Amino acid sequence: MTRGKKLVSLIMSVILIVVLAACNSKNSGSSASDSQSKESASNSPSASASDGKIDTSKFVKISYVVLGDKPKNGQFEKVFEKVNKLMKEKINAELEWKWVEWADWSTKYNLLLASGEPIDLITVATDWLDAWNNAQRGAFMPLDDLLPKYAPQTWESIPQEDWAQTKYKGKIVIIPENDYTQWVNHGIFYRGDWAKEAGITGPITDFETLGKYFQFIKDNKKEVVPWDTQSNGIAPYIGFANSYTDMIELPIGTGIFPAFYAKSYDEKYTVTSPIFDDVFLKMAKMMKEWADKGYWREDVLNYKGDTRTLLRAGLSGADAHHTQTFASLRVQMDKDQPGSELEMFPFSATRKNLIELSITHGGTSLGAHSKNPERALMAYDLMRNDKEIYQLINFGLEGVQYEIKDGKRVLPAAYNEAKDAYYSDFWGGRVDKFEIPTDTVWDGISKYYAEYDTYKKPYPYGQFVFDKTSIDPELTAISQVIGEMGPAILWGKAGDPDKAVENFRNKLKTAGYDKVLAEIQKQMDAFKQQMAGQ
């Protein structure tokens, strides 16, 4: 069959579907996003011309949603001027970055997807950005019919077993970041020089020792906040769950921190929660004690300052994030605070509780209301597979943001961070083949990677798609309770820990915690049977 005949058949099929839907909408089998895909495919400026070739005669702008604070020094615009020159030459399109800034990011991100705004491409994740919940709401367009034609390099490079982890109700809705090596397990960064002064001779591997470090700073570094942090940080919660239990996080979003975990890797299908475990009260009591001792600011719940900058200025003794951040921050600290010997306490170090990263920890989806789905996927195919475009987006301009020396990216001699720094926060399609090693990543990070490799366990939930239909109101209510009450408990500002935790748990119960737990367990039991049958 020729491509022209295929197009005619497709059009006739769409007409037939519309007629049938008009006769009996209740019998329609198409989802909202599936219908949107077909409508867009026939009406968008980049749909196929009658000769079967892709029509790019009309110039279009393609939006790409990323998470992060928009750069303000003008370098991003300079880099994307070159990116878009190439985009125009190759597909007659222009990329427009749309930023969801970190302040209240979870709410703003989900509201954007719920708004019906015709966004094109958007950064997604199944383990921290509620991708399955948003797919359930019809936020993404199915990609099965579009990918082979409009993103052929991406389609061919991703194996079918990886595509299997990106499907919602049998349809591909995510392009996974499956060819990029990273570790995003979380922990606390601390100054090795100050730890040695405090008499801590080995690596910090538990919160008790971390407390000794903070007390030393409080007693001996008068101008320093032991742990300068913000209320949106969740390190105490995930840290205690990781360090003092064998629980592993489930890919089910509940607002600012996850309420639902599996009991352990060996009991990966048994649902539980750190919140209703003794470990949560232990955390609340320790954090109240730390807050009373002044390990962080009194106004922590309202503080919005740049705490990482304060660490680099020698005004804070700790920071919290994941291994990839640490690998770069160590190099910055070696320059900013020579001899500081920044180290990391990975939360997994206490009990060797570490799960490998999901390939959908980062990814890209196509908005259900995209007006240019074909051209959007063509743009994505270039972002991921065109070396020049990829390296511009990820690294900036050679000679301004970096130079190549001995096979590594290094900062140019005239580089000024305030004036020349660049980032794009593109976390939806990175690939190892185009990465350039950099001297901004600490060589010593390999010792952490080697340690992780000795006890890591494979990610077990790649094909688990949670259906929240029957408990959507309860999940929303749980997320609201966590957002309203969680930060104060995590940072020791909720009063008596016993009463605060009891009240928190009661409010979660009232919000529908037991109903949600039962439904998750039901679906996890079904998933267990699914995996046993493979």
Side-chain angles (χ1 to χ4, degrees), residues 136 252 260 271 464 466-472 474-475 512-526:
Q136 188 176 36
I252 298 170
F260 298 100
V271 185
F464 177 65
F466 181 59
D467 183 353
K468 61 192 284 290
T469 305
S470 63
I471 53 169
D472 194 18
E474 289 81 7
L475 268 177
Y513 170 83
D514 290 328
K515 180 180 178 180
V516 173
L517 180 69
E519 179 59 29
I520 298 173
Q521 187 60 66
K522 176 184 174 182
Q523 294 188 36
M524 194 59 67
D525 290 341

Side-chain angles (χ1 to χ4, degrees), residues 493-506:
K493 298 297 182 180
D496 178 72
D498 290 285
K499 292 180 181 178
V501 169
E502 180 182 11
N503 189 29
F504 185 46
R505 289 170 174 171
N506 289 338

